[in-house]
Amino acid sequence: MCAGRCGGAAGAEGRARALAVALTAALLHAAGPARAEPAGRATAQAVGWATAQAAELTRQAEARAAAGEIDVALSRYLEAVRFDATYGPAYLGLGGLYERAGDLREAERTYTVGLDHVPGFIEGHRARAALRAREGRRGEAIADLEAAVALRGDDAGLLQELAAAYVAAGALPAALGVARRLTALAAQAGDAGRAAAARTQARALSVLVGEADPVRAGGRDRGPVRRALAAYAAAPARGQPGDPRREGR
């Protein structure tokens, strides 16, 4: 785990494994029966204090990791999780350390635990997607990116990552749909440069897709299904009707 690549200290692998067990124990403790808390502001203050502690411990962990003190960094991340099991940056940092150590299984497990505890953990999906993509598990990586986009569908960076993942997997029609969505979002935001780049990408993908593209195939007489897909592609937000004349001409 952390032997060799994480500083070469004797017994580091065993210590890192013990820290992984401690992570599980900390999460179980955090998810245990809640004790009675004062209502209102007192509870909010307690939550805020726990999050502040987790943030400070995460900052310390990052500094220790940068200094090469990997075992100390691991323990700080675990302390952060004990204070606030919903603090996403602690999971990202901990998973990143495991990745640097070459323990991709433990890294993936850490991201998965974070996704189980942190509501709307978009960065957790992105981190796990990147890990899975490096292992050649493209379908699982795409599933993570799709989950992230479902949480924040107007994020151009996320959409670009998803489009690239679709292209790598050979899912060109899906990549084309994302490219069209990027074009509509950029146009809505008034970003002419980004809209032009997305439009160029969409046109290139459309040429590659050819007749498999249900929006462009069939000439002018698309039929109701192709018209509906064209309207969706032109809509800047999921589920909103768009102008079918704007895309797929």
Side-chain angles (χ1 to χ4, degrees), residues 121-183:
F121 194 18
I122 291 171
E123 294 307 317
H125 280 298
R126 291 176 100 162
R128 194 171 67 175
L131 184 154
R132 289 172 165 177
R134 284 195 296 274
E135 291 192 311
R137 297 154 60 192
R138 290 174 178 165
E140 292 172 273
I142 286 173
D144 263 318
L145 291 174
E146 287 174 340
V149 167
L151 291 168
R152 193 165 65 207
D154 60 349
D155 187 313
L158 266 176
L159 289 167
Q160 286 284 12
E161 290 177 42
L162 180 58
Y166 281 144
V167 170
L172 298 184
L176 176 56
V178 175
R180 285 178 169 143
R181 183 169 175 76
L182 281 165
T183 301

Side-chain angles (χ1 to χ4, degrees), residues 17 98 102-110 131 135 137:
R17 290 287 181 192
Y98 285 131
D103 193 344
L104 300 186
R105 178 178 297 180
E106 197 61 38
E108 182 173 357
R109 175 184 170 279
T110 299
L131 184 154
E135 291 192 311
R137 297 154 60 192

Side-chain angles (χ1 to χ4, degrees), residues 16-115:
R17 290 287 181 192
L19 288 169
V21 174
L23 170 62
T24 301
L27 292 171
L28 288 173
H29 174 74
R35 292 177 294 177
E37 293 284 353
R41 187 173 65 177
T43 299
Q45 287 175 340
V47 171
W49 176 83
T51 301
Q53 289 295 108
E56 172 59 22
L57 286 163
T58 298
R59 185 195 66 76
Q60 292 177 19
E62 291 168 350
R64 296 289 190 172
E69 300 174 30
I70 303 303
D71 285 346
V72 178
L74 282 167
S75 67
R76 291 288 189 275
Y77 281 128
L78 289 169
E79 287 181 66
V81 170
R82 291 190 188 98
F83 273 103
D84 187 352
T86 66
Y87 190 66
Y91 295 101
L92 295 175
L94 184 59
L97 285 185
Y98 285 131
E99 287 197 60
R100 285 169 53 185
D103 193 344
L104 300 186
R105 178 178 297 180
E106 197 61 38
E108 182 173 357
R109 175 184 170 279
T110 299
Y111 298 139
T112 299
V113 172
L115 286 163

